[in-house]
Amino acid sequence: MSARVEEIRLNLGHIELAAHVFGPVDGLPVIALHGWLDNANSFARLAPRLLGLRIVALDLAGHGYSQHRPVGASYHLADYVHDVLRVAEQMGWARFGLLGHSLGAVISVQLAGALPERISHLALIDGVIPPTAGEQEAAERLGMALQAQLRSDGKRKSVYPTIEQGVQARMKGMVAVSCEAAELLAERGLMPVPGGYSWRSDSRLTLPSPVRLSEAQAMAFTQRIQCPSCLVVAEQGLLARHTTLLEQLPFEQVVLPGGHHLHLNDEHGATLVADCFNRFFGFA
């Protein structure tokens, strides 16, 4: 197993993104997309274990070392999808695979459903569709989002006196991770500020979405996917309890022990996910 990693920056015209690159130059092209408030180090344990792939693991806009979106812009799913497509164009990849965790899995499904002819493989970890809402909730949701945007003006980020305290805060986040996982994310996520350290991620990422798809709209993306698709469901993750959703998906599904970040929390989980995906990509 080679852990060799290349750091690159990709100027997409409208934004500049940072990324880690793994694997042989002639490997099967794959773009890896991390989860909400994570960064490219989400794949630090998994990517070196994946065989035969040329992996570009992005810091999504507003995360890690990538730029934040301009003032007045938002972080809509369609904007992330556009970013990924621009990355593929810059890499010269007419057809490529997607490896996504959580939010990254949602983005991957959206792109694979929107432009199925561009995607060769779809490898997902504990994520498929975004949170959905009924049509009758649209106005109320927009109002809630607008109020949250106004309240966020001038709001300061949390400052942690030490890196260790920043890591502990990430361990206890909305989705808990192991200490080792939090340390890996902190390598690209924490930055020095007066008084200590803050997380680099754009604070606007925590604002509520002004628009949500209906369940029918979200599922329509899964039905348009044409490429081989494999979904890893974490036994103690976020998807396992959504049995009705899982039964509707036209994907190969593998249930593995571990939590939502099973590919990052420890070496054993990373190995289990890698074994699954190496078989899926045909390099086992």
Side-chain angles (χ1 to χ4, degrees):
M1 181 184 72
S2 172
R4 185 177 174 184
V5 185
E6 178 186 356
E7 179 84 28
I8 64 171
R9 296 197 70 84
L10 299 157
N11 190 329
L12 308 183
H14 64 289
I15 198 167
E16 187 174 89
L17 302 184
H20 273 166
V21 182
F22 302 84
V25 174
D26 61 350
L28 180 74
V30 172
I31 298 176
L33 308 172
H34 61 76
W36 179 60
L37 299 182
D38 292 343
N39 55 58
N41 262 9
S42 176
F43 299 103
R45 281 181 154 148
L46 176 60
R49 290 174 159 82
L50 297 177
L51 307 175
L53 307 181
R54 180 66 166 176
I55 300 173
V56 174
L58 296 178
D59 284 338
L60 293 171
H63 297 75
Y65 291 136
S66 287
Q67 286 184 336
H68 295 184
R69 299 211 190 277
V71 174
S74 300
Y75 290 88
H76 298 309
L77 275 176
D79 296 321
Y80 285 125
V81 174
H82 175 242
D83 291 344
V84 176
L85 194 58
R86 286 289 184 186
V87 168
E89 293 292 298
Q90 189 162 128
M91 298 298 297
W93 293 349
R95 201 165 148 78
F96 54 97
L98 290 167
L99 166 60
H101 169 243
S102 195
L103 169 63
V106 173
I107 297 167
S108 297
V109 168
Q110 296 248 315
L111 179 51
L115 295 174
E117 69 279 4
R118 296 293 302 269
I119 310 304
S120 65
H121 298 77
L122 191 60
L124 309 174
I125 304 171
D126 218 44
V128 179
I129 63 172
T132 58
E135 294 89 338
Q136 71 279 4
E137 300 173 37
E140 182 181 356
R141 167 155 290 278
L142 177 57
M144 176 183 65
L146 291 171
Q147 290 176 329
Q149 288 171 348
L150 291 176
R151 289 195 301 269
S152 70
D153 289 348
K155 189 176 180 181
R156 293 186 177 183
K157 285 187 175 183
S158 297
V159 176
Y160 305 97
T162 66
I163 290 177
E164 290 72 22
Q165 286 172 290
V167 167
Q168 289 172 8
R170 181 62 188 87
M171 289 172 63
K172 301 171 185 175
M174 188 176 295
V175 179
V177 298
S178 69
C179 181
E180 291 181 357
E183 288 173 345
L184 284 168
L185 295 173
E187 287 178 10
R188 295 181 75 80
L190 280 178
M191 63 179 182
V193 297
Y197 299 85
S198 281
W199 286 89
R200 295 179 188 274
S201 52
D202 193 333
S203 57
R204 290 175 293 172
L205 292 167
T206 62
L207 293 173
S209 171
V211 178
R212 280 189 175 174
L213 299 178
S214 68
E215 184 174 342
Q217 288 174 317
M219 292 302 293
F221 285 88
T222 71
Q223 300 301 324
R224 276 178 50 87
I225 293 169
Q226 297 175 5
C227 65
S229 305
C230 180
L231 169 63
V232 167
V233 179
E235 277 187 346
Q236 289 82 47
L238 302 183
L239 276 184
R241 62 182 179 270
H242 295 286
T243 54
T244 303
L245 167 63
L246 294 175
E247 289 169 357
Q248 298 177 62
L249 296 173
F251 305 153
E252 173 191 347
Q253 297 180 34
V254 180
V255 179
L256 294 177
H260 185 56
H261 287 77
L262 74 165
H263 65 298
L264 179 64
N265 275 332
D266 54 52
E267 299 290 340
H268 178 63
T271 298
L272 290 178
V273 176
D275 289 346
C276 172
F277 285 157
N278 281 329
R279 289 191 298 271
F280 169 66
F281 282 106
F283 294 107

